Amino acid sequence: MNKTLFFVFFLFGLLNIYSQDTIYLKSEKEPIISKIIEINSSEIKYKKFNYQDGALFIINKDEVDKINFKNGDTQTFTKKNTRQESKSLIENSKIYLQYLTTKKKKNVKKIDALNILRREINNLASCKIVNSIEDADFAIEIQATKYMITKRRVKLKVIHLLTKENVFESEWEKGAPSEFNGFSGTRQATGRVIKRQLLYAFPEIVK
């Protein structure tokens, strides 16, 4: 009788193991034991395996490494690297824009600095700005500070994301507001650093 009960519990345990979906995250060591409800283009919806009447959880696919399904199949979500190997900005290089606060200085607002940088790059360079760093070949980092009431200073850095190497760092450029730059010192300084330094270092992206 005891052997029979043991065999029944053993089979029940095996059924539990092979009727669950296991989610492995990129940032966590412990997997999520779950029941997958839905996988769409951007999200995975699941319930905890030991409480399937409970809440529905949603996780971004970018956070997931792989899923082992109850039928034995495995689906991986790690993107194959397609980043540009060359460390030089060229036409259609994909770039992601970042903002860096300058310590002990009065900083231009992040949204203002990034919007101006985006506009000036679109006007002057043949790179492609993307909205996710995961899709980018390079990151361009802007620092923008106020050094007088209306005058601004801007500096840029270019990071090759495949190697995490800084491939370009400009000197500070100054700018003052005038009718030619929409009365924006930040715009003038940003345009100057792109024209005088960035395009000089990477002539292939000149429009």
Side-chain angles (χ1 to χ4, degrees):
M1 185 67 178
N2 288 339
K3 289 183 179 180
T4 303
L5 285 174
F6 175 79
F7 184 70
V8 169
F9 283 122
F10 178 73
L11 285 178
F12 182 74
L14 285 178
L15 287 172
N16 271 337
I17 290 172
Y18 289 105
S19 60
Q20 67 192 27
D21 303 309
T22 306
I23 304 172
Y24 294 87
L25 302 179
K26 295 175 182 177
S27 59
E28 300 289 339
K29 292 183 179 179
E30 293 296 323
I32 300 171
I33 308 304
S34 65
K35 177 179 176 60
I36 300 296
I37 304 300
E38 178 187 343
I39 298 177
N40 59 39
S41 60
S42 61
E43 298 173 332
I44 296 167
K45 300 178 182 180
Y46 69 93
K47 291 192 173 186
K48 291 185 177 180
F49 182 74
N50 59 359
Y51 190 37
Q52 296 181 28
D53 293 329
L56 179 69
F57 294 88
I58 300 175
I59 190 168
N60 195 300
K61 285 173 70 173
D62 291 339
E63 300 177 49
V64 177
D65 181 32
K66 67 177 180 178
I67 297 176
N68 288 344
F69 294 98
K70 60 186 178 183
N71 64 358
D73 291 344
T74 297
Q75 183 175 355
T76 58
F77 296 87
T78 303
K79 290 183 179 179
K80 182 180 179 181
N81 176 55
T82 57
R83 282 179 169 157
Q84 180 181 310
E85 293 185 6
S86 170
K87 297 178 184 178
S88 179
L89 284 172
I90 58 175
E91 185 178 2
N92 292 323
S93 288
K94 297 187 293 293
I95 59 174
Y96 178 74
L97 306 183
Q98 299 183 142
Y99 176 84
L100 179 64
T101 300
T102 307
K103 295 180 180 179
K104 299 181 180 179
K105 298 290 182 181
K106 292 183 178 179
N107 290 273
V108 174
K109 289 182 180 179
K110 176 180 178 179
I111 189 170
D112 293 339
L114 288 175
N115 282 340
I116 289 171
L117 178 61
R118 177 182 293 272
R119 183 163 57 247
E120 293 301 299
I121 287 178
N122 282 333
N123 288 338
L124 300 169
S126 59
C127 295
K128 181 181 179 182
I129 298 173
V130 296
N131 295 321
S132 169
I133 197 168
E134 297 297 327
D135 298 325
D137 302 312
F138 297 87
I140 295 185
E141 190 174 80
I142 184 171
Q143 292 173 259
T145 65
K146 308 172 184 180
Y147 72 97
M148 292 183 69
I149 294 176
T150 59
K151 294 184 178 181
R152 304 291 183 261
R153 297 166 74 240
V154 168
K155 181 179 182 181
L156 298 181
K157 181 189 293 183
V158 179
I159 303 159
H160 182 236
L161 293 172
L162 186 61
T163 60
K164 309 298 182 184
E165 181 179 338
N166 294 339
V167 295
F168 169 82
E169 186 167 354
S170 76
E171 300 295 329
W172 289 97
E173 289 281 0
K174 296 179 180 179
S178 72
E179 61 180 322
F180 298 105
N181 55 49
F183 298 98
S184 170
T186 306
R187 182 178 175 185
Q188 185 181 65
T190 303
R192 282 178 172 175
V193 76
I194 292 173
K195 293 174 188 175
R196 295 176 178 179
Q197 299 187 52
L198 184 69
L199 298 184
Y200 182 80
F202 304 105
E204 289 189 52
I205 64 172
V206 176
K207 275 192 172 181

